[in-house]
């Protein structure tokens, strides 16, 4: 089910001490006569839009809307960013529901300096662990298309990430992960990070796209049997500088597979993504996008030093990452070491000097020490960090 959001946002004057009122509209298609589900999706979309405009968290949107509908009340109290929510109107025309909601939102304060900058995240091709499960429908390329769609979401709707894609070739992550080779994953991650100039690297595994055993429409003897199809995904994000895991989560969903058993389905087509199964994946992608954006917000933005000239350094962060003239960075000198048991660890020596940005381009920035000190021990590939 697709959400259509109207671009008009009305900010209403409020004398409340809690926050400010935002009024938005959301739309959703009605499928299989399920008005309740369509109304829920429309309200979630409208509230998410209001939260984004207000600069608040979007993670509570589904919880708040479901709470409102479950309690069958006009307004509710919710801890955190949404103080109250009102359903102003709902209109049903043909197969579309349009809702208008009004929310009292208290914007969250910035929790860290790192939220000022967008982190570069490399998305690798999702691994289909059981390839034979894709036989029905021929959806073997679902992993690559999945990452394409997630990248678009993170770049368009997210606030803290700038994505890059590496989808042509498969990585060795799944083999290393299944053999519990943590050192191999570190090496792979740091290599990909260096090659692609990315701060973080994401891997994912599609663990289940099999069919449920029970039939959804068995009583309709004139139709072909319809089964639910699973979609289970595991996600892992690693720091490209030291290869350490910073975020991991499993996602599970399922929905009816409405295509015939012999149909070959193009996962790049609107037919697939507008189906009930494609819509379930879209909902999972919405959840993933929110989780990644919020969990990566306070991860440090680490710029790599690509040039050193006396008291001046050039770092690989620029306007596209949110860097501005006058920003200050701390410098970290790499000091990796091997422990007694043979494991590699990333270590850093913090420079006593900071640098201030004087020039910014789209992809890089030049910064100097305020008191013109020579940066003698700083080398290429050392880091510039603002925590």
């Amino acid at each position: 089910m697709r959400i259509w959001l109207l671009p008009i946002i009305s900010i209403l004057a409020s004398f409340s001490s809690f926050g400010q009122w935002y009024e938005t509209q959301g739309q959703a298609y009605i499928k299989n006569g399920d008005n309740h589900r369509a109304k829920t999706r429309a309200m979630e979309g409208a509230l998410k839009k209001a939260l984004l405009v207000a600069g608040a968290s979007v993670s509570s949107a589904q919880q708040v809307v479901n709470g409102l509908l479950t309690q069958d009340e006009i307004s509710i109290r919710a801890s955190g960013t949404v103080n109250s929510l009102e359903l102003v109107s709902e209109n049903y025309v043909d197969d579309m529901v349009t809702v208008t909601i009004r929310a009292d939102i208290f914007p969250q304060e910035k929790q860290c300096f790192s939220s000022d900058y967008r982190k570069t995240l490399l998305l690798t091709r999702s691994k289909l662990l059981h390839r034979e499960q894709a036989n029905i429908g021929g959806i073997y390329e679902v992993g690559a298309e999945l990452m394409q769609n997630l990248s678009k979401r993170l770049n368009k709707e997210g606030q803290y990430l700038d994505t890059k894609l590496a989808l042509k070739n498969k990585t060795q992550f799944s083999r290393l992960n299944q053999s519990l080779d943590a050192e191999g994953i570190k090496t792979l991650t740091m290599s990909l990070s260096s090659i692609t100039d990315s701060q973080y690297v994401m891997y994912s595994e599609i663990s289940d796209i099999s069919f449920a055993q029970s039939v959804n429409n068995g009583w309709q003897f004139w139709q072909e049997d319809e089964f639910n199809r699973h979609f289970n995904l595991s996600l892992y994000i690693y720091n490209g500088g030291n290869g350490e895991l910073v975020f991991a989560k499993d996602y599970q969903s399922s929905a009816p597979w409405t295509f015939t058993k012999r149909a070959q389905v193009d996962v790049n087509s609107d037919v697939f993504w507008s189906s009930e199964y494609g819509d379930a994946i879209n909902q999972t992608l919405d959840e993933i996008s929110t989780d990644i954006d919020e969990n990566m917000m306070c991860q440090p933005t680490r710029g790599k030093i690509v040039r050193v000239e006396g008291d001046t350094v050039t770092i690989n962060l620029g306007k596209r990452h949110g860097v501005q003239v006058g920003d200050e960075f701390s410098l970290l000198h790499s000091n990796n070491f091997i422990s007694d048991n043979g494991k590699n660890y990333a270590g850093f020596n913090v420079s006593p000097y900071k640098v201030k940005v004087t020039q910014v381009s789209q992809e890089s920035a030049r910064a100097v020490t305020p008191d013109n000190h020579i940066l003698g021990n700083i080398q290429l590939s050392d880091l510039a960090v603002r925590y």
Side-chain angles (χ1 to χ4, degrees):
M1 186 179 299
R2 292 183 175 180
I3 297 294
W4 294 81
L5 293 175
L6 300 184
I8 300 174
I9 303 273
S10 300
I11 302 178
L12 305 180
S14 172
F15 298 98
S16 168
S17 60
F18 294 103
Q20 190 167 31
W21 286 97
Y22 293 80
E23 185 173 300
T24 60
Q25 287 187 321
Q27 293 182 315
Y29 287 116
I30 302 170
K31 288 193 173 182
N32 299 324
D34 194 341
N35 290 357
H36 181 81
R37 185 186 180 198
K39 176 183 172 181
T40 301
R41 293 295 308 280
M43 290 181 65
E44 286 178 12
L47 180 56
K48 183 176 180 181
K49 189 70 173 180
L51 286 163
L52 289 171
V53 172
S57 169
V58 298
S59 62
S60 60
Q62 185 175 23
Q63 178 183 359
V64 171
V65 169
N66 286 340
L68 173 67
L69 296 176
T70 300
Q71 297 176 32
D72 196 24
E73 297 176 356
I74 290 300
S75 63
I76 65 169
R77 304 283 294 185
S79 61
T81 58
V82 181
N83 184 54
S84 64
L85 174 68
E86 297 179 7
L87 175 60
V88 178
S89 66
E90 55 183 294
N91 296 300
Y92 297 85
V93 178
D94 297 328
D95 61 347
M96 183 79 70
V97 58
T98 301
V99 301
T100 301
I101 61 103
R102 187 182 298 130
D104 184 18
I105 299 173
F106 189 82
Q108 63 186 2
E109 297 293 332
K110 285 190 176 180
Q111 300 178 17
C112 53
F113 285 119
S114 297
S115 63
D116 291 341
Y117 301 126
R118 297 177 75 93
K119 291 87 175 166
T120 305
L121 175 66
L122 177 69
L123 276 60
T124 62
R125 186 187 184 98
S126 191
K127 172 70 173 179
L128 189 59
L129 294 184
H130 305 286
R131 186 173 171 82
E132 69 280 1
Q133 292 180 351
N135 288 343
I136 296 180
I139 56 173
Y140 302 103
E141 297 301 313
V142 66
E145 186 63 20
L146 191 74
M147 291 301 105
Q148 289 273 14
N149 288 348
L150 180 58
S151 176
K152 292 176 183 177
R153 276 176 168 78
L154 289 172
N155 288 334
K156 182 179 179 180
E157 302 174 5
Q159 303 178 58
Y160 309 111
L161 293 171
D162 178 58
T163 65
K164 295 183 178 181
L165 291 170
L167 305 181
K168 292 184 178 180
N169 299 312
K170 299 177 182 178
T171 72
Q172 295 299 311
F173 172 78
S174 290
R175 179 182 62 80
L176 298 170
N177 193 36
Q178 290 174 15
S179 61
L180 303 179
D181 188 353
E183 291 303 301
I185 293 175
K186 279 187 177 182
T187 301
L188 172 65
T189 299
M190 295 170 69
S191 175
L192 288 173
S193 172
S194 178
I195 293 171
T196 61
D197 203 15
S198 303
Q199 299 168 48
Y200 296 90
V201 179
M202 190 185 86
Y203 308 102
S204 56
E205 297 175 329
I206 301 174
S207 57
D208 189 6
I209 54 171
S210 65
F211 284 82
Q213 297 300 314
S214 59
V215 180
N216 291 345
N217 62 341
W219 65 89
Q220 297 173 343
F221 60 87
W222 62 89
Q223 293 183 354
E224 184 173 341
D225 290 343
E226 182 181 279
F227 293 84
N228 270 6
R229 191 169 196 169
H230 302 295
F231 180 77
N232 297 351
L233 178 79
S234 297
L235 200 69
Y236 311 86
I237 298 180
Y238 289 82
N239 186 320
N242 55 26
E244 294 179 353
L245 182 67
V246 297
F247 176 72
K249 188 173 179 179
D250 297 325
Y251 299 86
Q252 297 87 31
S253 65
S254 65
W257 181 257
T258 53
F259 305 97
T260 64
K261 292 180 179 179
R262 294 180 177 82
Q264 295 297 295
V265 183
D266 182 3
V267 294
N268 299 304
S269 67
D270 288 338
V271 173
F272 173 77
W273 290 103
S274 62
S275 69
E276 292 189 57
Y277 187 69
D279 180 60
I281 297 178
N282 270 323
Q283 292 184 53
T284 301
L285 287 176
D286 287 339
E287 182 182 355
I288 292 173
S289 177
T290 298
D291 286 345
I292 292 176
D293 207 45
E294 294 193 346
N295 281 276
M296 295 298 291
M297 177 178 70
C298 286
Q299 291 294 330
T301 301
R302 294 178 170 178
K304 187 181 296 183
I305 296 175
V306 295
R307 190 172 186 179
V308 182
E309 297 176 295
D311 64 345
T312 303
V313 296
T314 301
I315 60 176
N316 65 345
L317 297 176
K319 292 179 181 178
R320 67 179 295 179
H321 307 99
V323 177
Q324 300 178 6
V325 172
D327 289 350
E328 291 189 350
F329 288 84
S330 296
L331 301 182
L332 303 181
H333 178 61
S334 298
N335 185 24
N336 298 340
F337 62 94
I338 300 176
S339 66
D340 293 339
N341 59 3
K343 291 186 177 182
N344 291 308
Y345 290 91
F348 300 99
N349 293 332
V350 181
S351 170
Y353 307 116
K354 289 189 174 183
V355 293
K356 181 178 288 188
V357 175
T358 57
Q359 298 178 25
V360 185
S361 66
Q362 194 67 19
E363 301 286 345
S364 64
R366 285 171 56 88
V368 300
T369 54
D371 44 12
N372 298 320
H373 278 284
I374 302 299
L375 302 168
N377 66 329
I378 299 300
Q379 304 172 8
L380 298 181
S381 295
D382 284 348
L383 303 178
V385 182
R386 187 184 184 194
Y387 288 98

